[in-house]
Amino acid sequence: MTSAAENPTKLLLHACCGPCSMEPVRLLRERGVEPHVYYANSNIHPPAEYARRLETIRGWAASVGLSLTEGRYDVAAWEATAGRIGDAARARFGVIAGDVADAAGGGAAEAAAGTAAAGATAAASAEPAGATRGGAAGDGTPTHSAQAESARQARCRACYRLRFEEAARFAAENGFDALGTTLSVSPYQYTDVIREELGRAARAAGVRPLFEDYRPCYAEATRRSREAGLYRQNFCGCRFSEEEAAVERAARKRFRAEAREREAAAHA
Ligand code: SF4
């Protein structure tokens, strides 16, 4: 975490959703930084989901006296970048879902996929982006492939880049001296890629990147967002992640049913 001496004077905090914003905002305020939240998420599909996440974060921000600006919702720009990369990967690898072992582990992966991804993932933005992933076989069983994982990471990098570039532009135009993001709350995102892309976008706009790894806050973010009754989505946001999360949930369910059957047979 950043020390008080390094605190920015005026911080723009890119936010993926309400649940993921709770802990970063609490921590920033604790050390005297009042962020302005910027909701720039052209990745979210469909528009009704985008509106629901926006409504959630707006309501929460208002309840804690936090200022918020909605960025552009530019689906065409997202499709021309991350969407194009995602389509190529989808055509080559099928649904790039987490592997069964990861999915069966339940725990965090389940929390993530089951709740919000930016919202519902535990508060977090969720959806297992950082888990081991591969294409799904014909019966929906995920199979590991480093190439598929790499293709998915390229898609997510483009997605981060688009959102951070827009946020950095807004920050520069409106006198902010630093740019941060809540995307690093989720342990299922590509944290290192987030750090790289935030730094690249901020520096290009002449703003200081304030990357902070909020993954240790994930469990608390989940708990607090549930307690507050915030909407917590069960996929990261894009059309690909919605499909991937559904495959992962089905695999998890199947694995558990098989485990129960084995357990029952062992005790028969
Ligand atoms: S999984 Fe999440 S980060 Fe990756 S492309 Fe989709 S919305 Fe963006």
Side-chain angles (χ1 to χ4, degrees), residues 43-44 53 78 82-83 117 125 127-129 133 152-153 155-160 163 183 189-190 235-242 244:
N43 55 314
I44 300 174
R53 295 186 194 188
W78 189 89
S125 53
E127 201 239 20
R133 286 171 174 275
R152 188 177 190 278
Q153 186 178 124
R155 181 190 83 207
C156 294
R157 180 184 288 278
C159 180
Y160 302 147
R163 291 186 276 167
L183 275 173
Q189 296 286 341
Y190 297 108
F235 65 105
C236 188
C238 69
R239 55 191 168 88
F240 302 108
S241 65
E242 185 176 26
E244 289 159 3

Side-chain angles (χ1 to χ4, degrees), residues 35-48:
H36 179 84
V37 166
Y38 192 61
Y39 184 81
N41 298 296
S42 296
N43 55 314
I44 300 174
H45 166 90

Side-chain angles (χ1 to χ4, degrees), residues 27-224:
L27 291 168
L28 287 163
R29 283 178 160 177
E30 264 182 15
R31 59 179 211 249
V33 177
E34 180 62 22
H36 179 84
V37 166
Y38 192 61
Y39 184 81
N41 298 296
S42 296
N43 55 314
I44 300 174
H45 166 90
E49 177 70 22
Y50 172 88
R52 188 172 185 190
R53 295 186 194 188
L54 174 60
E55 183 188 5
T56 299
I57 193 171
R58 267 201 177 127
W60 167 75
S63 73
V64 296
L66 189 67
S67 57
L68 179 149
T69 296
E70 179 189 7
R72 289 192 307 162
Y73 181 47
D74 191 345
V75 174
W78 189 89
E79 289 293 345
T81 51
R84 185 179 53 77
I85 294 169
D87 280 334
R90 176 76 172 78
R92 183 171 177 196
F93 300 108
V95 179
I96 306 174
D99 82 21
V100 165
D102 287 344
E110 180 179 35
T115 12
T121 274
S125 53
E127 201 239 20
T132 303
R133 286 171 174 275
D139 64 354
T141 303
T143 57
H144 175 64
S145 153
Q147 284 179 314
E149 164 62 18
S150 169
R152 188 177 190 278
Q153 186 178 124
R155 181 190 83 207
C156 294
R157 180 184 288 278
C159 180
Y160 302 147
R161 181 170 295 184
L162 179 76
R163 291 186 276 167
F164 292 157
E165 283 180 345
E166 191 203 323
R169 202 162 37 238
F170 180 88
E173 289 170 359
N174 291 278
F176 290 88
D177 64 324
L179 175 66
T181 182
T182 65
L183 275 173
S184 60
V185 168
S186 171
Y188 304 104
Q189 296 286 341
Y190 297 108
T191 309
D192 291 344
V193 180
I194 291 170
R195 179 197 294 269
E196 289 168 17
E197 291 300 326
L198 184 78
R200 201 192 63 80
R203 282 188 286 271
V207 173
R208 177 158 72 96
L210 190 78
F211 173 84
E212 297 191 325
D213 186 348
Y214 292 120
R215 284 177 294 180
C217 305
Y218 181 74
E220 182 62 5
T222 303
R223 188 194 68 75
R224 285 187 62 207

